[in-house]
Amino acid sequence: MHIQPDRFLRDLHKLRSFGAAGVGKGVVRPAFSKADIAAREWLMAQFEAADLRAHMDPVGSVWGLADGPSVLMGSHSDTQPEGGWLDGALGVIAALEVARAAQEAGGPAVSVVSFQDEEGRFGGTTASSIWAGSVSLETADQFADFDGVLFGDARQSVADLAGDFVDPAQFNGFIEMHIEQGPWLDRAGETIGVVSDIVGIRDLNITFGGDQNHAGTTPMMYRRDAVQGMVDYITQVNAAFASIVSDSTVWTNGHVSVHPNASSIVPGQARFSMQWRDRDAGLLDRMEAIIRETARTVAATRDLEVEISDYWALAPVEMDARLKAALADAAALVAPSKWREMPSGALHDATCVAALMPVAMVFVPSINGISHAFGEDTNEDDLVAGLKVLASAVTRLTN
Ligand code: GLV
Ligand code: MN
Ligand code: MN
């Protein structure tokens, strides 16, 4: 098979034009936005042109299907509310190029997917979780974004394009190429990361409730200030985690919503996200116990109400040994002494797909480790090196 790096880069830049925003190569293309749907329609046209059967499933994932049993490759084409041009898009367009080159060469059979809502406007890896059966469609339809829009309503916007779910039995494995989204390959001057495992993640919302009141006349000692509770909670959780976490454990309060959010009002409510990630499921449990205990203690001490939502979670997963070895052999050929095996700190659709078939992932560097930001980028030589690893691995696996 003869992959064409120029065609791959041209398509990658074209995909960025759907939702291009911000400085540098930024993109705003959240799941089911106008830009996202237009990008998915464009992808389906590229699949058709590559002699693959273009298909959209009921939750908006788009597929380019080869005939008969095939290797599945891809990622997602939705973005964060402020994202870069490569997170997800790279894996989809690299898969398109490999599948297209394979069709032109008369084999091997490679299919392509762009999953919907990996970035979690409504949940997180929403479409791949539904496909893998870890979340039912009925449950997912009730997932709401921060504006209260339901996944079930959002997906109606593509109902006229959508067919059935795709039968996973036709695929003998899934390989996802992605940018690293962290600093390690770039700092080491390396080109390729072969993923060993993907960390687990848990994510919930905590709401502190107090008394909304006048910020000038309410004495400090009589206040029930929800934001003071949130700040106290975050400080105490940071201190409590310090003694149990490892260097690679991470936790984030990325979304905060204060009511009524005005400088002259003592806030009556503070709702915020609490997300934590690690490779060790036991540690995730211990962190959860601290989170719940700290929230309850802060609420009791400050006379606040507290509500802790159900959590959304993905368990840590190992990559398949055979697929990983094919990627490692290809990496050694394409980037001798400039590749490593490494864990993924970011979540990926591959975690969900692992419930259905063997999965593996390959990374290329992120310049300065930047991602989930407009400044995300990768040198084009490294993008092409990743493409070559993907093509070489699929050739090895199918020979
Ligand atoms: C998804 O990109 C994540 O790791 O949050
Ligand atoms: Mn991604
Ligand atoms: Mn992402």
Side-chain angles (χ1 to χ4, degrees):
M1 121 176 52
H2 296 289
I3 48 166
Q4 296 185 31
D6 291 349
R7 186 168 66 173
F8 155 69
L9 291 171
R10 181 201 68 203
D11 284 350
L12 200 50
H13 284 281
K14 173 69 184 176
L15 181 50
R16 191 217 156 205
S17 72
F18 298 93
V23 291
K25 295 175 183 160
V27 180
V28 174
R29 199 168 57 223
F32 293 119
S33 61
K34 276 205 173 83
D36 170 61
I37 294 168
R40 285 173 191 278
E41 288 177 335
W42 174 79
L43 280 170
M44 289 173 79
Q46 306 320 298
F47 298 156
E48 288 287 350
D51 214 16
L52 301 162
R53 190 165 63 80
H55 178 80
M56 183 183 281
D57 72 16
V59 291
S61 297
V62 289
W63 304 77
L65 298 168
D67 289 337
S70 62
V71 176
L72 180 65
M73 294 186 175
S75 188
H76 61 96
S77 51
D78 60 300
T79 73
Q80 287 286 326
E82 287 194 3
W85 72 304
L86 298 172
D87 178 359
L90 173 62
V92 174
I93 299 297
L96 167 63
E97 178 53 29
V98 172
R100 184 163 52 194
Q103 288 293 87
E104 288 162 354
V110 177
S111 295
V112 188
V113 63
S114 169
F115 288 111
Q116 181 57 293
D117 199 30
E118 190 272 355
E119 298 288 12
R121 173 180 170 195
F122 298 96
T125 59
T126 311
S128 56
S129 298
I130 295 166
W131 190 50
S134 54
V135 174
S136 72
L137 187 56
E138 294 68 36
T139 300
D141 276 346
Q142 298 308 312
F143 290 168
D145 72 3
F146 284 121
D147 296 320
V149 178
L150 296 180
F151 181 74
D153 291 335
R155 71 185 181 86
Q156 289 313 312
S157 59
V158 294
D160 54 336
L161 296 172
D164 286 342
F165 284 106
V166 167
D167 181 359
Q170 67 198 284
F171 307 120
N172 39 46
F174 175 62
I175 306 181
E176 180 168 3
M177 177 174 163
H178 209 280
I179 48 168
E180 180 200 335
Q181 309 185 274
W184 305 116
L185 293 173
D186 190 46
R187 280 177 180 240
E190 292 174 352
T191 310
I192 298 292
V194 174
V195 175
S196 51
D197 57 300
I198 304 174
V199 301
I201 179 172
R202 296 185 193 176
D203 194 321
L204 50 72
N205 291 306
I206 299 176
T207 307
F208 283 116
D211 285 333
Q212 179 179 330
N213 210 337
H214 195 289
T217 56
T218 314
M220 296 307 281
M221 66 211 181
Y222 295 144
R223 291 183 181 199
R224 295 174 70 236
D225 182 330
V227 164
Q228 292 286 342
M230 174 180 74
V231 171
D232 199 4
Y233 160 85
I234 291 172
T235 308
Q236 288 193 35
V237 148
N238 286 346
F241 281 173
S243 59
I244 64 162
V245 295
S246 78
D247 283 351
S248 58
T249 314
V250 293
W251 60 98
T252 310
N253 306 106
H255 185 268
V256 174
S257 155
V258 174
H259 185 83
N261 208 17
S263 17
S264 290
I265 303 179
V266 177
Q269 190 182 80
R271 176 177 190 260
F272 57 100
S273 59
M274 177 77 224
Q275 183 190 91
W276 63 111
R277 310 191 191 203
D278 196 86
R279 302 165 88 165
D280 174 354
L283 180 59
L284 295 176
D285 286 341
R286 295 194 288 285
M287 293 173 78
E288 184 177 340
I290 288 176
I291 287 164
R292 292 182 185 279
E293 176 62 23
T294 307
R296 282 193 288 260
T297 305
V298 166
T301 312
R302 292 183 165 270
D303 190 23
L304 298 169
E305 282 95 49
V306 66
E307 211 177 285
I308 304 175
S309 74
D310 290 341
Y311 67 67
W312 175 82
L314 292 174
V317 291
E318 300 274 337
M319 299 296 96
D320 174 75
R322 190 176 76 94
L323 297 188
K324 191 175 68 173
L327 288 168
D329 290 348
L333 197 77
V334 172
S337 74
K338 285 195 174 295
W339 70 280
R340 67 170 70 188
E341 195 170 308
M342 63 188 297
S344 170
L347 65 89
H348 296 290
D349 291 305
T351 291
C352 305
V353 179
L356 298 171
M357 64 191 78
V359 302
M361 289 195 72
V362 59
F363 283 167
V364 291
S366 293
I367 297 172
N368 295 324
I370 296 171
S371 188
H372 286 186
F374 290 150
E376 169 189 287
D377 207 0
T378 299
N379 292 322
E380 293 196 347
D381 287 351
D382 291 337
L383 297 175
V384 170
L387 175 71
K388 288 179 178 164
V389 169
L390 199 61
S392 166
V394 79
T395 304
R396 280 157 204 276
L397 284 166
T398 49
N399 271 345

